């Protein structure tokens, strides 16, 4: 009996240690007295694997600088609730918070001198390991992406970023929205590229987590072949959602057995079946429009019969479909031929470091375009009556793609990292 009690006590201690290890508390304030249970962070707290946390990638924040800074913590795979107390007793602030590969969570939050505001959100962290020696087959250019390393990294940006405290704790029971897709969905680390998958995070409360597995250049079959679906399924649970948007790159595949109603439909069905086996809800998404106009200023149909095939699959399987093909057509036509350049990566030479040539990309979105398309996705969720929309933030305003936001009113503080190379699948 004593032996059993001893073993049981050890298990309780081990469980307690694990629980503590999954909650991290950091004090960034200028107060000399450290909050109980918190670790004091100073400009000397630089990240290393032995310590497991610290300032990363850019110079450490000194508590007064208005430059962006990054803070990383080594954590296991999973969903994490992040609680940030923003502001400072010493100065006014304006703070934007992004996470991992530039996912937007808190947007331009202003604080007065002496004012502290606490906000929460939930973020997904993952690495490439599936099980044993099995790993996701990521591309060479992905190896530096923050989405795939062992750290949970947060970016504090804005006109005057001010951080007082940070708490990170693992959460297991909230629903996760998994995203599968290509360069129009992917989390982009570097300016000026962006996609709706990294903007939609801004509009949901901490009752939902969004895990974006999309990558540039992928089609439905190469997503599966790269074991991304296998990895995703290791984290999926009953009640989660699986949003699937393909078509851009799939339509380039030619030959016998290829096509929207052949190989493409076969692979899309695999996503649906796997989600259902996990007790999750599959949702199909038609591809976003390319910025190609006819002589009358109308957006061309450039995706052949892929959007129709997606709608047909959704009808046959009795699952919702979010029709971005339709909504982005409305959005682009509402803005017009010239103004719609503000949605995509169109910039004159020398706008960004080492950018000697003009950027003219009519497939990939910039941050404003990604922000607008993310709102289209949410409106599609609402139209499909997905229960998840109950967890939209209170400040989300209904969006009509025929009445887009004004580009001049969109405020985005640039991340420190830029990339001139176009995403795969252009």
């Amino acid at each position: 009996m004593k032996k059993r009690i001893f073993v049981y006590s050890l298990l309780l201690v081990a469980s307690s240690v694990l629980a503590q290890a999954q909650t991290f508390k950091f004090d960034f304030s200028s107060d000399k007295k450290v909050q109980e249970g918190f670790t004091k962070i100073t400009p000397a707290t630089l990240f290393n694997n032995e310590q497991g946390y610290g300032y990363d990638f850019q110079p450490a924040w000194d508590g007064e600088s208005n430059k962006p800074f990054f803070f990383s913590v080594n954590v296991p795979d999973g969903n994490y609730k992040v609680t940030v107390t923003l502001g400072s007793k010493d100065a006014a602030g304006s703070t934007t918070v992004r996470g991992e590969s530039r996912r937007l969570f808190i947007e331009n939050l202003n604080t007065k001198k002496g004012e502290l505001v606490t906000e929460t959100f939930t973020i997904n962290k993952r690495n490439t390991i599936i099980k044993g020696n099995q790993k996701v087959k990521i591309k060479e250019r992905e190896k530096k992406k923050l989405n795939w390393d062992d750290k949970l990294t947060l970016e504090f940006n804005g006109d005057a970023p001010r951080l007082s405290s940070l708490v990170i704790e693992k959460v297991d029971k909230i629903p996760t929205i998994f995203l599968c897709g290509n360069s129009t969905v992917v989390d982009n680390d570097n300016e000026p590229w962006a996609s709706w998958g990294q903007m939609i995070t801004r509009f949901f409360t901490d009752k939902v987590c969004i895990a974006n597995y999309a990558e540039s250049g992928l089609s439905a079959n190469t997503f599966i072949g790269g074991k991304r679906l296998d990895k995703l399924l290791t984290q999926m649970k009953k009640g989660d959602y699986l949003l699937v948007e393909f078509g851009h790159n799939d339509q380039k595949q030619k030959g016998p057995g290829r096509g929207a109603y052949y190989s493409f439909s076969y692979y899309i069905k695999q996503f649906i079946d796997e989600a259902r086996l996990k007790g999750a809800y599959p949702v199909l998404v038609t591809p976003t429009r390319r910025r190609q106009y006819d002589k009358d200023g109308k957006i061309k149909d450039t995706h052949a019969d892929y959007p129709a095939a997606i709608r047909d699959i959704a009808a046959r399987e009795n699952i919702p479909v979010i029709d971005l093909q339709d909504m982005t057509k409305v959005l682009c036509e509402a803005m017009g031929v010239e103004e719609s350049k503000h949605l995509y990566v169109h910039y004159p030479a020398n706008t960004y470091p080492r950018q000697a040539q003009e950027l003219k990309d009519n497939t990939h979105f910039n941050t404003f375009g990604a922000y607008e398309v993310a709102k289209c996705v949410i409106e599609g969720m609402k139209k499909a009556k997905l229960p998840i929309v109950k967890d939209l933030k209170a400040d989300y305003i209904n969006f009509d793609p025929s009445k887009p936001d004004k580009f001049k009113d969109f405020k985005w503080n640039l991340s420190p990292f830029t990339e001139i190379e176009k995403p795969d699948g252009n």
Side-chain angles (χ1 to χ4, degrees):
M1 179 63 73
K2 289 183 178 180
K3 185 176 181 181
R4 286 184 180 179
I5 294 173
F6 176 72
V7 171
Y8 181 68
S9 299
L10 284 178
L11 289 173
L12 286 178
V13 170
S15 177
S16 175
V17 169
L18 179 61
Q20 292 176 9
Q22 292 183 326
T23 300
F24 305 85
K25 298 181 178 181
F26 303 103
D27 183 346
F28 293 79
S29 71
S30 58
D31 296 339
K32 293 183 179 179
K33 184 178 179 181
V34 183
Q35 299 181 59
E36 184 177 353
F38 282 68
T39 299
K40 189 66 177 178
I41 302 300
T42 73
T45 312
L46 304 182
F47 181 85
N48 62 68
N49 278 318
E50 291 71 27
Q51 179 175 267
Y53 61 86
Y55 289 109
D56 211 354
F57 302 109
Q58 294 285 288
W61 184 51
D62 61 6
E64 299 178 355
S65 170
N66 292 336
K67 293 182 179 180
F69 60 92
F70 294 77
F71 192 83
S72 296
V73 183
N74 274 341
V75 296
D77 279 8
N79 295 336
Y80 290 83
K81 180 180 177 181
V82 176
T83 303
V84 289
T85 300
L86 304 176
S88 168
K89 70 177 186 179
D90 304 315
S94 181
T95 309
T96 288
V97 183
R98 303 172 190 141
E100 294 289 83
S101 289
R102 216 157 125 261
R103 304 173 212 161
L104 178 63
F105 290 97
I106 298 172
E107 180 183 14
N108 305 318
L109 191 148
N110 296 318
T111 49
K112 300 174 184 177
K113 180 180 178 179
E115 181 184 17
L116 298 178
V117 177
T118 297
E119 294 281 340
T120 60
F121 57 88
T122 308
I123 186 170
N124 177 265
K125 180 268 171 191
R126 65 173 187 267
N127 59 26
T128 59
I129 299 171
I130 301 172
K131 183 180 180 181
N133 294 326
Q134 284 188 309
K135 291 186 177 182
V136 180
K137 299 175 183 177
I138 62 173
K139 298 182 177 183
E140 188 64 31
R141 67 188 295 172
E142 288 184 89
K143 291 179 179 179
K144 293 182 180 180
K145 292 191 76 164
L146 302 185
N147 271 357
W148 288 113
D149 62 20
D150 291 317
K151 300 178 289 187
L152 175 57
T153 299
L154 299 174
E155 173 192 349
F156 296 88
N157 208 317
D159 289 345
R162 294 291 182 267
L163 176 62
S164 180
S165 69
L166 168 66
V167 177
I168 300 171
E169 52 189 320
K170 199 169 189 301
V171 289
D172 296 318
K173 295 183 179 180
I174 64 170
T176 302
I177 305 174
F178 291 94
L179 307 182
C180 307
N182 50 43
S183 58
T184 63
V185 188
V186 69
D187 292 340
N188 291 275
D189 287 73
N190 303 320
E191 306 286 355
W193 315 93
S195 300
W196 66 259
Q198 66 193 112
M199 295 295 179
I200 198 170
T201 45
R202 179 259 183 264
F203 301 109
F204 280 92
T205 70
D206 61 5
K207 303 302 181 185
V208 174
C209 193
I210 296 173
N212 191 353
Y213 279 72
E215 177 52 33
S216 300
L218 295 184
S219 53
N221 64 305
T222 57
F223 186 100
I224 294 172
K227 298 187 178 298
R228 293 168 197 265
L229 182 58
D230 289 342
K231 172 66 178 183
L232 180 158
L233 291 170
T234 66
Q235 294 196 5
M236 181 174 279
K237 63 188 180 303
K238 184 178 180 180
D240 288 344
Y241 293 78
L242 182 70
L243 269 62
V244 182
E245 185 208 317
F246 288 104
H248 273 89
N249 302 308
D250 307 77
Q251 71 173 129
K252 301 170 187 176
Q253 299 176 357
K254 308 297 181 183
R258 302 288 188 181
Y261 290 98
Y262 296 94
S263 60
F264 179 72
S265 295
Y266 168 78
Y267 287 110
I268 293 298
K269 182 67 162 63
Q270 288 189 35
F271 287 93
I272 297 169
D273 291 346
E274 293 288 3
R276 283 173 166 165
L277 283 172
K278 286 284 187 176
Y281 304 107
V283 180
L284 299 187
V285 185
T286 57
T288 56
R289 293 276 180 156
R290 298 182 177 98
R291 184 185 163 275
Q292 295 186 21
Y293 291 84
D294 63 20
K295 58 182 178 61
D296 298 318
K298 301 296 183 182
I299 285 287
K300 295 180 180 179
D301 293 326
T302 66
H303 288 98
D305 50 2
Y306 282 82
I310 292 168
R311 298 183 192 105
D312 288 349
I313 298 167
R316 186 167 63 247
E317 296 292 328
N318 194 29
I319 61 175
V321 61
I322 295 173
D323 205 336
L324 282 187
Q325 179 80 179
D326 179 59
M327 285 187 280
T328 51
K329 172 183 171 67
V330 174
L331 176 64
C332 288
E333 290 180 354
M335 293 190 72
V337 175
E338 286 303 312
E339 191 68 15
S340 64
K341 290 179 181 178
H342 289 310
L343 296 169
Y344 295 82
V345 177
H346 276 252
Y347 296 97
N350 303 312
T351 302
Y352 295 94
R354 302 178 303 282
Q355 182 213 338
Q357 303 295 324
E358 179 184 10
L359 289 173
K360 296 171 62 176
D361 190 307
N362 294 314
T363 297
H364 300 111
F365 298 100
N366 59 18
T367 50
F368 174 68
Y371 194 87
E372 298 294 277
V373 178
K375 290 184 176 182
C376 289
V377 175
I378 291 171
E379 293 304 315
M381 290 178 171
K382 290 162 62 179
K383 185 177 181 180
K385 298 181 180 179
L386 299 186
I388 207 78
V389 299
K390 74 181 186 304
D391 294 312
L392 287 168
K393 286 184 177 178
D395 68 349
Y396 177 77
I397 300 172
N398 293 341
F399 182 70
D400 181 350
S402 70
K403 299 174 182 177
D405 298 322
K406 294 181 180 178
F407 173 70
K408 66 180 180 64
D409 294 335
F410 180 70
K411 180 175 175 54
W412 179 269
N413 292 85
L414 296 176
S415 291
F417 310 116
T418 60
E419 183 178 18
I420 306 308
E421 181 184 358
K422 292 184 178 182
D424 293 340
N426 189 52

